[in-house]
Amino acid sequence: MVCTDEQQCVKEFSYINGTSESHVFPTLNNCRLLCGKFGPLWPHPTGRVHLGKKTTAINPTTIKFEQYTNNQTAEAIKFLEEVENYFLLNLRRDYRIQMLYSDSTPMSLIVKMHASSYSKTNIEWSTDESYKLKVSIENITNVVAVIEAATVFGVRHGCETLLQLFTVVNEANFTSSLQMLSDAVITDQPAYAHRGLLIDTARNYIPINCLKRQLDAMAASKMNVLHWHVTDTQSFPIQLNRVPEMVSYGAYDSNQIYTSSDVRKLIRYAKYRGIRVILELDAPAHAGNGWQWGPEKGLGNLAVCINQKPWRKFCIEPPCGQLNPVNPNLYAVLQDIYYDLAFINKDEQILHMGGDEVFFGCWNATDEIVSYLVDHGMGRNETDFLMLWNEFQNNALRLWDNALYLVNTNRSSTTTSGKSKRTSPVILWSSHLTDPSVIVQFLSSDRYVIQTWVPSTNNMPQQLQKLGYKLIISTKDAWYLDHGFWGVTTYYNWKKVYENQLPKGNGILGGEVCVWTEYIDAHSLDGRTWPRAAAAAERLWSNPSTKALEAESRFFRHRERLISRGTQPEAIAPQWCQQNEGQCH
């Protein structure tokens, strides 16, 4: 392979004995490590990047880690130990290390890790994820990589970057050696605090091991939020101690349930990969199966229109179901559900409350809801239904605040003393209730973060920005990765995903790519999600000003990296194009 003047790797047909310092390389990955400003890095750093042009053989069995131990908490120590384990595991995965040899004596690698503060081991929107990585030769026996960061999350990202600075070189005696850049300086921090992937596990059940694969791919791409859309009208697969009826009535099968232990372990698995898990309990729409047990227990209809036909009269997509906002018993059940969710995900203060696609036709066809509206002097027009919806939302927010207070103060009672409670924002999907013309009337910008899912031509995000709301962007015609396989939707290739721009200005927390699973399950999730989600990851980390074509070679390399981590991403080009960069445009 040859690194051209255009900083692209192309196939060289004449045999040349190249060295690690030449412009000719024995393999494509050798070339990508030493060719171009950003080499093989994904996502590319946002600060200073100096990558040398020399590699040094490293003995993978002698890699050592050193931690600066100023005021480390036990949890911080555990976090960094997990980062070390993660580094060594993926070094073996990425470079297929069995036993590698070299004609010369390989050097040892010492990784020195230091965080300015070890107090925060739970990621938040305010977390500083910046880091600085410096790699240099210390003496004739050691290469030293120093990672300095503000928090343990920055340290983790620095280790992720360091993993990308290795290659395997085939020696003349048919052996191989693990080599790495011996001269590099990188300063880096993300452009956006919220870099997410939504996975829907309600339409089709996604096993825990499959979710772990997605987390591994997210970590490799420096994404930091798994938005877990865990319930919907189709199923309620999460087991809750206080309300066991939900999973009894709502799970597809007894083997397709997320136990509390499953969820906690997955959250911890995510944490050590720099990822927070935000659970979504969609309400008041998208709530059907799992909620049918109210009449049997003497609680009345907790939800209405469940599985009702013809579905087009009662919901956006089948099966139908919406919560019953006029049944007082609903709120007692909802309080228990929120408590269990807060307890399962103790370290996370943010809940996604759903709030999309409320279908007024369902409520308008329900006698008890219509009677409630009449009794309260309301009619049956859109304004009245918005008022009813807002009444539900106010109650739901109060119940979530109660749940957080009880969990944070180690109380088990579902009643509170009225003492002041620390409140956190909640997230809602954009909807009729969040329309810029009415949102100020219903939803406080201090309490609600809005996740917009409108097309790129819609200016709703900019209007909400002007009103002071914080936003998460999920551009429907670029970042809905399930599109193109059903209805009149369009498939968005990685270049479209990469070039999707977020609104400029204040209030943009970041964005999410979304994988809705009506036509996706565990057997197809990897390919529908990856590597396209990684294209969004660079947008959210680096916010590049360049076009996707300039990132193509690095994207090819990152897809290989995802494969080595256990993911099965879809192909994005013929292999010839990967070996002849820039010639398939």
Side-chain angles (χ1 to χ4, degrees):
M1 302 301 298
V2 175
C3 180
T4 68
D5 292 339
E6 291 77 27
Q7 302 294 291
Q8 294 174 325
C9 293
V10 297
K11 200 166 186 178
E12 173 65 53
F13 288 95
S14 60
Y15 182 77
I16 300 174
N17 283 321
T19 70
S20 59
E21 299 180 48
S22 171
H23 288 290
V24 182
F25 306 93
T27 69
L28 180 59
N29 285 344
N30 295 157
C31 180
R32 286 186 176 144
L33 178 62
L34 296 168
C35 186
K37 177 181 178 181
F38 298 120
L41 299 180
W42 195 276
H44 79 64
T46 58
R48 180 191 176 195
V49 179
H50 164 73
L51 300 178
K53 299 303 178 183
K54 294 183 179 180
T55 62
T56 299
I58 297 294
N59 184 343
T61 66
T62 61
I63 295 174
K64 298 179 181 179
F65 294 86
E66 294 180 3
Q67 299 180 19
Y68 293 84
T69 55
N70 57 323
N71 301 318
Q72 284 181 317
T73 64
E75 183 57 30
I77 293 172
K78 173 65 175 173
F79 191 107
L80 293 178
E81 288 174 350
E82 291 290 337
V83 169
E84 293 173 15
N85 294 335
Y86 174 88
F87 180 93
L88 294 173
L89 169 65
N90 286 301
L91 188 69
R92 292 193 296 271
R93 284 175 163 180
D94 289 353
Y95 304 102
R96 298 176 177 84
I97 296 171
Q98 301 294 329
M99 183 62 89
L100 300 173
Y101 299 92
S102 175
D103 289 338
S104 58
T105 302
M107 301 182 77
S108 296
L109 171 63
I110 301 173
V111 182
K112 298 182 178 182
M113 305 184 296
H114 173 64
S116 301
S117 172
Y118 293 99
S119 61
K120 281 193 174 184
T121 54
N122 297 313
I123 197 163
E124 300 172 349
W125 287 319
S126 60
T127 301
D128 188 336
E129 300 175 76
S130 64
Y131 69 92
K132 179 179 179 180
L133 169 65
K134 182 177 181 181
V135 181
S136 59
I137 295 177
E138 185 177 64
N139 50 46
I140 60 172
T141 60
N142 294 331
V143 175
V144 176
V146 179
I147 301 171
E148 296 179 317
T151 65
V152 292
F153 295 99
V155 171
R156 196 219 72 86
H157 296 324
C159 282
E160 195 72 63
T161 298
L162 181 61
L163 275 171
Q164 300 182 13
L165 299 183
F166 290 83
T167 189
V168 172
V169 174
N170 298 321
E171 307 289 355
N173 60 353
F174 301 104
T175 62
S176 300
S177 66
L178 178 69
Q179 300 206 7
M180 68 174 294
L181 285 187
S182 55
D183 174 27
V185 179
I186 296 170
T187 58
D188 198 9
Q189 64 180 22
Y192 295 101
H194 188 108
R195 308 181 301 281
L197 168 64
L198 175 146
I199 299 179
D200 163 22
T201 62
R203 273 52 180 261
N204 278 307
Y205 178 83
I206 307 296
I208 289 291
N209 285 342
C210 184
L211 292 176
K212 285 183 175 180
R213 283 204 310 275
Q214 312 316 307
L215 290 169
D216 286 341
M218 291 174 67
S221 309
K222 295 191 177 77
M223 301 179 85
N224 69 349
V225 180
L226 173 63
H227 173 176
W228 189 353
H229 183 89
V230 70
T231 67
D232 214 289
T233 51
Q234 290 85 353
S235 75
F236 197 110
I238 185 170
Q239 191 173 55
L240 303 174
N241 293 335
R242 293 192 173 207
V243 198
E245 295 87 354
M246 302 304 299
V247 75
S248 297
Y249 282 76
Y252 287 128
D253 186 89
S254 60
N255 293 321
Q256 296 184 336
I257 291 171
Y258 303 109
T259 67
S260 298
S261 176
D262 289 336
V263 177
R264 288 194 188 98
K265 288 178 181 177
L266 189 74
I267 289 168
R268 200 153 186 84
Y269 188 89
K271 174 179 179 176
Y272 295 136
R273 283 152 181 77
I275 300 165
R276 67 195 297 192
V277 177
I278 295 179
L279 299 173
E280 179 185 350
L281 182 80
D282 208 348
H286 293 279
N289 291 284
W291 293 91
Q292 310 99 312
W293 53 274
E296 181 183 327
K297 299 287 185 176
L299 300 179
N301 293 316
L302 301 174
V304 294
C305 308
I306 300 176
N307 302 331
Q308 201 158 339
K309 299 177 181 179
W311 66 266
R312 291 185 184 277
K313 290 187 176 181
F314 303 102
C315 61
I316 302 297
E317 70 171 23
C320 298
Q322 290 186 177
L323 296 183
N324 182 0
V326 305
N327 182 353
N329 293 319
L330 167 67
Y331 298 105
V333 173
L334 202 56
Q335 179 71 90
D336 284 338
I337 291 173
Y338 284 161
Y339 179 89
D340 278 347
L341 292 177
F343 189 77
I344 289 171
N345 200 5
K346 273 186 176 181
D347 294 332
E348 180 57 69
Q349 302 295 302
I350 305 298
L351 177 71
H352 200 303
M353 303 184 86
D356 61 321
E357 297 185 325
V358 172
F359 196 78
F360 295 152
C362 167
W363 285 346
N364 199 29
T366 304
D367 289 341
E368 60 185 294
I369 293 177
V370 171
S371 296
Y372 178 90
L373 292 172
V374 172
D375 291 344
H376 287 75
M378 292 188 285
R380 299 163 70 174
N381 57 40
E382 180 171 314
T383 299
D384 294 315
F385 283 115
L386 283 174
M387 294 294 290
L388 180 62
W389 183 357
N390 183 59
E391 184 179 306
F392 165 83
Q393 188 57 50
N394 289 337
N395 285 328
L397 183 62
R398 173 179 55 82
L399 296 175
W400 174 248
D401 287 345
N402 287 345
L404 282 183
Y405 174 75
L406 292 168
V407 169
N408 291 337
T409 57
N410 295 314
R411 298 168 187 245
S412 59
S413 171
T414 54
T415 59
T416 61
S417 62
K419 293 180 180 178
S420 61
K421 296 183 282 289
R422 184 172 65 90
T423 56
S424 298
V426 296
I427 306 171
L428 285 179
W429 289 106
S430 57
S431 66
H432 292 307
L433 198 65
T434 72
D435 188 281
S437 65
V438 301
I439 188 173
V440 175
Q441 179 183 351
F442 297 123
L443 304 172
S444 165
S445 60
D446 292 333
R447 294 304 313 275
Y448 288 96
V449 171
I450 309 303
Q451 183 168 2
T452 62
W453 56 289
V454 295
S456 56
T457 54
N458 192 306
N459 69 350
M460 176 195 287
Q462 289 84 351
Q463 293 182 62
L464 292 174
Q465 268 184 291
K466 291 179 181 178
L467 294 173
Y469 290 87
K470 292 183 174 63
L471 305 180
I472 297 166
I473 306 298
S474 294
T475 310
K476 189 175 183 179
D477 57 353
W479 282 4
Y480 268 41
L481 302 185
D482 58 300
H483 280 195
F485 301 92
W486 57 271
V488 295
T489 59
T490 300
Y491 175 88
Y492 314 118
N493 65 26
W494 78 269
K495 297 172 186 175
K496 173 78 170 179
V497 174
Y498 185 91
E499 292 176 359
N500 181 50
Q501 298 282 343
L502 279 65
K504 301 184 185 301
N506 296 328
I508 306 300
L509 293 175
E512 291 181 359
V513 284
C514 301
V515 183
W516 303 101
T517 61
E518 285 93 338
Y519 302 96
I520 298 171
D521 63 11
H523 302 287
S524 54
L525 180 62
D526 285 17
R528 296 284 177 88
T529 307
W530 305 100
R532 289 184 295 155
E538 179 152 298
R539 169 61 54 197
L540 291 165
W541 181 277
S542 312
N543 198 21
S545 58
T546 54
K547 295 291 186 180
L549 291 179
E550 298 182 48
E552 187 176 62
S553 64
R554 293 185 297 107
F555 195 66
F556 285 148
R557 178 66 186 93
H558 191 61
R559 178 180 178 270
E560 293 181 6
R561 191 174 293 123
L562 295 176
I563 293 171
S564 71
R565 303 284 176 98
T567 310
Q568 298 182 34
E570 66 180 355
I572 54 176
Q575 192 168 350
W576 187 92
C577 299
Q578 299 181 45
Q579 295 180 349
N580 296 272
E581 293 172 5
Q583 298 186 45
C584 290
H585 300 163

